[in-house]
Amino acid sequence: MRELPEEGRETRLRDIVAGLRGAVSLERASDPLITLSVPLVVGDLVILRTLLDLRAVERRTGRLVWTSFEKDRALSELLRPGSMPQAMSGSSGLQGQGTAAELLVAQRFWSAINFNAIAADGDRAYAIEDLGYMGLTLPNRTGPAAPMQNRLVAYDLKTGKTLWEAGSAREQQGDLLAGAVFLGTPLPWMGRLYALMDLGSAPHLAVLHPQTGELELLQPLGSEEIDLNGFDRSRWLSGLSPVSVAGVLICPTGHDSVTAYDPARRRLQWRFRLRPRTESPGTRQQMILMQQPNDRHADRFPEQGSWNDKG
């Protein structure tokens, strides 16, 4: 398929963003939406995510220093000539309408914390790539409307050069992170990177070497409701990252659950669920849980009455 040149893609994106802004002003004037994009200041550089790539600019002058070689493959594919189909969602009304590219841009703006999150340790910046079409049902596509895996990519802060990546296709033999979905950017702490990921069952904590991306430890975080966790796909967009408190890592494993891990002793300390669940879901409940992320995230203008990292 023919690619749009860089200038053509940016022009098309400007048109999409202008259309979304106009629609928001008409439909949500009394309830403005908050975008999730947050630049990261590291020394004299400002690291920021655009719709197509990662960029660094000088803090004082605004001069562009570098642009990442990695591009948003999902969005680039939808911007190709002839690849602007009408997307489908489980919602009704104006919010469920629009081309697939428009819905994906809206998701990047307002739903995908994982797309907008950036971490850095002074030498490298870290971002999640290959986030796919989470929550969008696209024509001529089969299977779950979600990425089967994504990648954690490390960039050199001075040049933007890709240093390493972690995660690979599920079929990759011998890779312990094959098929992993990174749930958020890593926490650089005590000379290591600590990242939360979904390996298809209970969430795991991965310990990586920051210079090479080599996996040093893969710690299951466990769950009392394993059969529920497998269907909680909303966390794939939520930007879940651990935080350190008094030498203990506090790991959010979903929208209502937290696990504490002691890295010195390499053991779980405790788990806490905000809302108790006493029943395992039946087949019908499982199907509803699988569909909920599609209904919630496919809209161009999602409800923002729930918590997010802007709260």
Side-chain angles (χ1 to χ4, degrees), residues 243-283:
V243 296
S244 62
V245 180
V248 174
L249 294 177
I250 308 300
C251 305
T253 54
H255 65 281
D256 62 355
S257 55
V258 177
T259 299
Y261 174 72
D262 185 341
R265 296 179 175 85
R266 293 194 173 186
R267 67 183 184 187
L268 300 180
Q269 294 285 80
W270 48 260
R271 303 189 191 103
F272 181 73
R273 183 173 291 282
L274 302 180
R275 295 182 299 174
R277 294 175 179 174
T278 57
E279 297 181 1
S280 298
T283 302

Side-chain angles (χ1 to χ4, degrees), residues 148-149 167-181 199:
M148 296 304 293
Q149 73 279 321
S168 60
R170 195 174 295 272
E171 297 78 15
Q172 188 73 33
Q173 295 290 334
D175 186 353
L176 294 177
L177 300 184
V181 176
L199 288 173

Side-chain angles (χ1 to χ4, degrees), residues 139-301:
N140 303 320
R141 293 188 179 275
T142 58
M148 296 304 293
Q149 73 279 321
N150 56 29
R151 295 176 296 129
L152 173 64
V153 179
Y155 299 95
D156 183 85
L157 267 180
K158 295 180 179 179
T159 65
K161 178 182 177 181
T162 300
L163 298 175
W164 53 260
E165 62 180 51
S168 60
R170 195 174 295 272
E171 297 78 15
Q172 188 73 33
Q173 295 290 334
D175 186 353
L176 294 177
L177 300 184
V181 176
F182 285 89
L183 301 176
T185 50
L187 169 70
W189 185 60
M190 301 294 288
R192 294 295 182 267
L193 298 177
Y194 296 86
L196 298 176
M197 62 178 58
D198 192 331
L199 288 173
S201 56
H204 288 64
L205 176 69
V207 183
L208 305 170
H209 196 285
Q211 294 182 347
T212 64
E214 179 183 358
L215 179 66
E216 298 188 356
L217 177 69
L218 190 59
Q219 170 67 49
L221 294 178
S223 172
E224 296 176 358
E225 292 94 6
I226 296 177
D227 49 354
L228 262 178
N229 274 343
F231 295 95
D232 189 7
R233 291 179 178 170
S234 62
R235 68 185 177 203
W236 289 6
L237 286 171
S238 299
L240 303 180
S241 298
V243 296
S244 62
V245 180
V248 174
L249 294 177
I250 308 300
C251 305
T253 54
H255 65 281
D256 62 355
S257 55
V258 177
T259 299
Y261 174 72
D262 185 341
R265 296 179 175 85
R266 293 194 173 186
R267 67 183 184 187
L268 300 180
Q269 294 285 80
W270 48 260
R271 303 189 191 103
F272 181 73
R273 183 173 291 282
L274 302 180
R275 295 182 299 174
R277 294 175 179 174
T278 57
E279 297 181 1
S280 298
T283 302
R284 179 175 176 80
Q285 291 173 303
Q286 290 176 356
M287 294 301 295
I288 293 173
L289 286 169
M290 292 177 68
Q291 184 64 33
Q292 280 178 345
N294 291 347
D295 291 339
R296 182 167 60 254
H297 296 304
D299 293 346
R300 286 188 295 169
F301 316 130

